Amino acid sequence: MRRALRWSAGLIMLFFIAPALAHAVMWIAAERPASWREADWSSAGILPAPGEAPEASIRILAARTGGLKGVLAVHSWIVLKRAGEATYHRYDVAGWGNPVRRNRGPADGRWYSNEPEIVFELVGREAEPLIPKIEAAIGDYAWSAPGTYRVWPGPNSNTFVATVIAAVPEIRADLPPTAIGRDYRTGIFGTPAGGWAVSLAGVAGLAAGPRDGLQINLFGLVAGIRFAEPALILPGFGAIGGS
């Protein structure tokens, strides 16, 4: 029994605590804005101008969040545009005021000065019929009242995006392993990648499948390995390798 406990403690240290601490050192060493007032929230310029991209589009973006939370977590949001529209529409959740925000910043805006990346996109005819479904899922989001936001284990910004993804499985979108709060639900369910997962309110869980590989969630931190597009998953760092 003691040997098993020592092995378990060693594995937790190796795959969860050590990577998180290593990323914390890297994060703290870099220059960061002192507060949200000093942060850069402007467009990162990674999306095409709406007039230059007339087709319908669905995108999910993510950027490191602010303060010490950024050591481990990203903030994610959804960007929609119907065919022929002259603007993008951004939907995300924040921890102050009414949680669900619409167009409260540039569609590809930086988050606490951190550059966003596009983690999923669907453009063209396939996107158009899914946009009303996504908008309906946003309108039905269960934690949209003031005071329902919770940083950990959720419901937070990543819970919001993951809930919309689950409601519209046709988009087959994945959130990165650093999207803490994406697993804020309890039970056994299918993953967007076609695998299966079990979760206990995002505090602990396991996901496995051809694209998921094997991912273990411990207190919101995810470690694991992917085989289809080989990648090592470590807390703080996310998926290292793959695409």
Side-chain angles (χ1 to χ4, degrees), residues 83-210:
E85 277 193 306
T87 186
Y88 293 108
H89 299 288
R90 169 177 171 161
Y91 298 89
D92 54 353
V93 157
W96 56 90
N98 292 318
V100 180
R101 311 296 180 91
R102 183 178 187 267
N103 296 334
R104 288 295 295 270
D108 57 356
R110 296 172 178 86
W111 190 256
Y112 281 95
S113 297
N114 299 310
E115 297 286 317
E117 63 174 330
I118 300 169
V119 299
F120 170 83
E121 67 178 346
L122 183 64
V123 178
R125 292 182 179 179
E126 293 183 354
E128 186 72 33
L130 299 181
I131 291 176
K133 296 182 179 181
I134 293 172
E135 292 174 333
I138 291 171
D140 291 339
Y141 182 59
W143 298 286
S144 59
T148 54
Y149 179 95
R150 186 167 55 184
V151 173
W152 181 88
N156 58 24
S157 63
N158 299 315
T159 308
F160 166 69
V161 177
T163 300
V164 173
I165 290 173
V168 191
E170 300 97 316
I171 63 177
R172 297 182 63 83
D174 294 308
L175 283 177
T178 47
I180 293 176
R182 65 176 188 171
D183 298 322
Y184 180 70
R185 48 182 164 169
T186 296
I188 300 173
F189 46 86
T191 70
W196 289 93
V198 57
S199 178
L200 180 60
V203 176
L206 176 72

Side-chain angles (χ1 to χ4, degrees), residues 77-88:
W77 63 94
I78 299 168
V79 177
L80 305 176
K81 189 179 80 68
R82 283 183 164 83
E85 277 193 306
T87 186
Y88 293 108

Side-chain angles (χ1 to χ4, degrees), residues 16 72 152-153 177-181 183 202-204 216-222:
F16 289 91
L72 302 172
W152 181 88
T178 47
I180 293 176
D183 298 322
V203 176
I216 300 172
N217 174 355
L218 186 62
F219 300 113
L221 304 180
V222 177

